[in-house]
Amino acid sequence: MTTLIQQTSVNGVTTLTINRPDKLNALSPELFVELKAILLRLQEPGFPVRGVILTGSGEKAFIAGADIAAMQQMSPEEGERFAAQGQEITALLEALPIPVIACVNGYALGGGCELAMACDFIYCTERAQFGQPEVSLGLTPCFGGCVRLSRFVGAGRARELIYTGRRIDAGEALRIGLVNRVFSDADAMLAAARDILLQCKSQSPVAISLCKHTINASYGRTTDEALEVEKNAFRRTFESADKQEGVQAFVEKRPAVFPGR
C-alpha cells in the first residue's frame, strides 16, 4: 500500500511529510487514518521524540486543501464524518505535548492552512500561499479555519480572508502574523525548523508541555480563568524532576540535564 505520510526521525526530531505530490498533497479520509495513527504514537509516554516538523512533498504544495474529488459524492452524513476526521487530526496536533512546526512550501489552502494553524507556529518559503477558499466551492472551513484563523490574525482579518476566499502570499502572511518566518527556499526553512526544535530539546520537556497546555487552554477564557490555568501549570512544575534538576543546575552554575519527568 502506498505510504501517504513519510516519517523520518533524527536527533529526537521527527519530520512528517504528506506524500501525495500528484494530488498536491490533498487531504483524504485515508490520509487522515494514517496520520491519526502516527500522531497517537507520538503521544505515547516515553516515545523518543522531542519535536515534530509537518511538511509536504514536492515543490508545489504543503497541502493544497481537502481532496475535492473525494468530497464530490459525499452525502451530508459523510461530509460531517470527514469534517470530524479533520477536526480530530487538528486537535491531536494541537494536543501533542511537544513543539510542532508547520513548514510550508507552496500552497497551504483550505485544510492545508487549517493543519498548519494547528501546529505551534508556521515557517514558510517565499513561494508559499495561504487561504481559506472554501466559499468559492459553496463550502465552509471545517477543520478549524473559522476557529483558529482569528487567533493568528484577529477577527476582522479572519472574516475578510474567509468571506472572500482570498489567497495571500508569504510576505502578507508574515505581516499579519500568520507565519513566524519566511525563507528563500525549502532547505533553509527545514534547517531552521530543525535548529529551533533542537534548541527546544535542550529545555525541560515537562515545562514546555505545560507551557503549550497553558497557551492552548487559555483561549476563550476570561483573564482570571486563564491565570488560574497558568498558576496550576506552575504548581505542577514543582512536582517534576525537571524542576529539581533545573534549579539545582542553576545554583551549581552548570548546564541542566533534564530527565523529562
Side-chain angles (χ1 to χ4, degrees):
M1 185 177 74
T2 302
T3 300
L4 300 177
I5 301 163
Q6 295 176 340
Q7 181 176 357
T8 58
S9 297
V10 179
N11 294 328
V13 174
T14 285
T15 300
L16 303 179
T17 305
I18 307 301
N19 186 36
R20 299 184 74 200
D22 57 322
K23 301 291 186 181
L24 299 181
N25 301 321
L27 301 170
S28 66
E30 295 77 17
L31 188 149
F32 279 151
V33 169
E34 194 169 319
L35 183 54
K36 177 182 175 181
I38 292 171
L39 295 177
L40 288 174
R41 284 201 302 274
L42 293 176
Q43 283 191 338
E44 292 175 358
F47 198 85
V49 169
R50 297 280 292 277
V52 174
I53 295 170
L54 180 66
T55 193
S57 62
E59 295 296 318
K60 294 183 178 180
F62 166 69
I63 299 168
D67 191 327
I68 305 302
M71 289 195 294
Q72 187 175 12
Q73 302 302 322
M74 286 183 184
S75 67
E77 293 74 21
E78 290 169 332
E80 183 179 11
R81 285 196 293 272
F82 187 46
Q85 274 188 298
Q87 290 183 3
E88 184 178 29
I89 292 298
T90 53
L92 285 170
L93 280 169
E94 204 167 58
L96 281 178
I98 53 179
V100 183
I101 303 177
C103 284
V104 175
N105 185 34
Y107 300 121
L109 305 175
C113 189
E114 289 170 308
L115 259 66
M117 290 189 294
C119 299
D120 288 289
F121 45 91
I122 303 171
Y123 285 174
C124 75
T125 68
E126 294 172 349
R127 298 180 59 254
Q129 291 189 37
F130 298 87
Q132 299 290 163
E134 287 88 348
V135 294
S136 67
L137 300 171
L139 298 168
T140 62
C142 65
F143 303 153
C146 291
V147 175
R148 292 189 178 91
L149 186 56
S150 62
R151 298 176 185 174
F152 280 84
V153 305
R157 284 198 177 100
R159 291 187 181 105
E160 180 186 25
L161 291 172
I162 291 169
Y163 296 174
T164 63
R166 183 170 68 88
R167 299 181 186 182
I168 59 174
D169 62 18
E172 185 171 357
L174 180 65
R175 180 178 61 80
I176 67 176
L178 181 58
V179 306
N180 287 60
R181 296 175 64 183
V182 178
F183 298 87
S184 59
D185 57 59
D187 288 341
M189 172 181 63
L190 291 167
R194 294 186 194 102
D195 182 62
I196 286 293
L197 290 175
L198 288 175
Q199 290 180 48
C200 294
K201 184 182 173 184
S202 68
Q203 309 303 323
S204 160
V206 172
I208 287 178
S209 176
L210 287 168
C211 287
K212 181 168 181 173
H213 167 75
T214 300
I215 293 168
N216 289 340
S218 296
Y219 287 122
R221 296 177 184 264
T222 66
T223 299
D224 286 345
E225 290 169 343
L227 287 171
E228 188 68 20
V229 173
E230 186 173 84
K231 182 177 68 176
N232 289 336
F234 185 67
R235 181 190 185 284
R236 288 172 63 187
T237 63
F238 281 75
E239 302 169 353
S240 73
D242 275 10
K243 178 263 181 185
Q244 300 301 324
E245 164 62 12
V247 172
Q248 186 172 346
F250 178 84
V251 171
E252 296 175 355
K253 296 182 172 55
R254 61 173 174 81
V257 180
F258 293 109
R261 62 181 191 279

